[in-house]
Amino acid sequence: MVSRPVTRNDRPSPRPDGRRRGRRVRRWVIVLGVLVILLVGADFGAAAFAEHTISQKAREQLGLSDDPSVDIHGFPFLTQALSGDYSHISVSADGVPVGGELRDLGVSAELEDVTAPLSDLTAGNTKNVKIGKLTGAVTIKASDIARISPLDKIQNLRIDQSTEAYVKYGDTEQGQQPDPTTTNADGDEQDTNTAGVRLSGDVQVAGQKVEIFCFALIELKGKTITITPHRLQFGNDQETTIVPQSVQKALLPNFRASIDTSTLPLSVTPTAVRVDSGSVTIKGEATGVTFADLSTSKG
């Protein structure tokens, strides 16, 4: 008996029910994938709506011309929205006006353990929004500080960092600390309630316009930030020129000023002050506050 080779037609074909099961699995995978995409899209859409609502209310309370930035952290958003509990919300804005002198503040706030009922958010009602912990920062630019009396007598006022040692001792062995930033043991920048600052600008001396550099300490005292001038010099900190004591006595008061932080946005207790090139930032914290406490209007 002669054997013949096995052909394709002789091989057993796959069972029809196996093919059907494979197609059904693929369909379910596709359906689940579409559902996931729709749910994620709905989650982001709901988060965007809530962020927009909070942004509009913050715009009203801060007296802004544009909506501030609002970011609701955490995913999924809908789980937080249904429970009314949010772990972390960030709010930031520029160009915040306060009174007649401060017109261009930068404000940032980190809101933690926020309670905001979904019904209130959808209705645009933020009065019942409660904040467990608020960490905020208000940045005052040199252009605004230059409007504060008596600093408004200084033309072209500029702000730069300095060390406390250089403020007190100048170009001496005690004062030679080139890095004005204070760091902790981990090398991270450390916030303190005192900072060195170099104020510079043009003043009138004997009828002549002279560029003066004032080295001062900015100190946090309760809810007041004080600028206490220590010494003056002509030129800059690279080329020191001694200012006569009579001139120092006459001009130093022009660099003495204070800022009442209770008039600033965010009802926080000031904890630190930091000097950057062109600005001063005040940081603070508060617990158990409401969304209305972000307002610039006090009382």
Side-chain angles (χ1 to χ4, degrees):
M1 184 175 180
V2 179
S3 62
R4 64 185 180 84
V6 178
T7 64
R8 183 181 299 176
N9 293 332
D10 294 323
R11 298 192 184 105
S13 59
R15 297 176 62 181
D17 56 343
R19 286 200 300 267
R20 283 195 292 271
R21 277 199 301 271
R23 284 196 292 268
R24 282 198 296 269
V25 170
R26 284 194 295 273
R27 290 196 195 100
W28 277 112
V29 170
I30 293 172
V31 170
L32 288 175
V34 172
L35 285 175
V36 169
I37 293 173
L38 291 175
L39 289 173
V40 171
D43 192 84
F44 278 103
F49 173 79
E51 290 170 347
H52 179 65
T53 300
I54 296 175
S55 179
Q56 286 186 317
K57 291 300 178 180
R59 174 182 176 177
E60 294 175 8
Q61 293 180 190
L62 294 174
L64 302 175
S65 57
D66 298 310
D67 291 346
S69 172
V70 175
D71 186 9
I72 300 177
H73 302 275
F75 180 84
F77 166 79
L78 289 174
T79 302
Q80 300 181 81
L82 291 174
S83 66
D85 296 321
Y86 303 83
S87 59
H88 185 192
I89 299 176
S90 298
V91 180
S92 61
D94 291 315
V96 180
V98 176
E101 297 174 340
L102 306 179
R103 306 172 189 173
D104 192 19
L105 300 178
V107 178
S108 63
E110 302 300 327
L111 319 179
E112 300 178 58
D113 301 326
V114 179
T115 301
L118 181 59
S119 57
D120 286 337
L121 277 185
T122 54
N125 178 20
T126 57
K127 292 182 179 179
N128 294 327
V129 174
K130 298 179 181 179
I131 304 167
K133 180 181 178 181
L134 167 62
T135 304
V138 177
T139 297
I140 309 174
K141 298 179 182 178
S143 57
D144 275 350
I145 293 178
R147 297 188 185 96
I148 299 173
S149 179
L151 295 176
D152 54 356
K153 298 177 182 178
I154 312 299
Q155 299 179 25
N156 304 317
L157 183 72
R158 297 177 298 279
I159 294 176
D160 291 287
Q161 292 177 317
S162 184
T163 64
E164 293 185 37
Y166 195 87
V167 168
K168 295 177 180 178
Y169 306 113
D171 192 12
T172 64
E173 184 177 350
Q174 300 101 309
Q176 290 180 352
Q177 296 184 22
D179 183 5
T181 303
T182 303
T183 58
N184 57 26
D186 298 326
D188 298 325
E189 187 173 337
Q190 181 179 358
D191 295 324
T192 62
N193 60 2
T194 306
V197 61
R198 187 184 76 173
L199 304 171
S200 58
D202 300 327
V203 297
Q204 293 292 328
V205 178
Q208 299 292 322
K209 182 187 290 187
V210 179
E211 187 176 22
I212 288 285
F213 290 78
C214 174
F215 294 86
L217 288 181
I218 290 187
E219 300 175 270
L220 175 59
K221 298 179 179 179
K223 290 194 173 183
T224 301
I225 298 294
T226 63
I227 300 177
T228 305
H230 280 251
R231 60 186 184 83
L232 300 175
Q233 66 181 46
F234 297 121
N236 54 45
D237 55 359
Q238 302 300 322
E239 298 178 2
T240 302
T241 302
I242 301 299
V243 177
Q245 284 299 318
S246 59
V247 178
Q248 296 229 22
K249 184 177 180 180
L251 295 182
L252 275 176
N254 293 321
F255 292 90
R256 186 182 304 274
S258 63
I259 302 171
D260 182 6
T261 65
S262 65
T263 64
L264 302 179
L266 309 179
S267 294
V268 299
T269 300
T271 57
V273 59
R274 187 186 75 232
V275 176
D276 296 302
S277 179
S279 66
V280 173
T281 297
I282 301 164
K283 297 183 177 182
E285 296 181 352
T287 56
V289 296
T290 65
F291 191 78
D293 292 319
L294 297 177
S295 176
T296 57
S297 60
K298 308 295 180 181

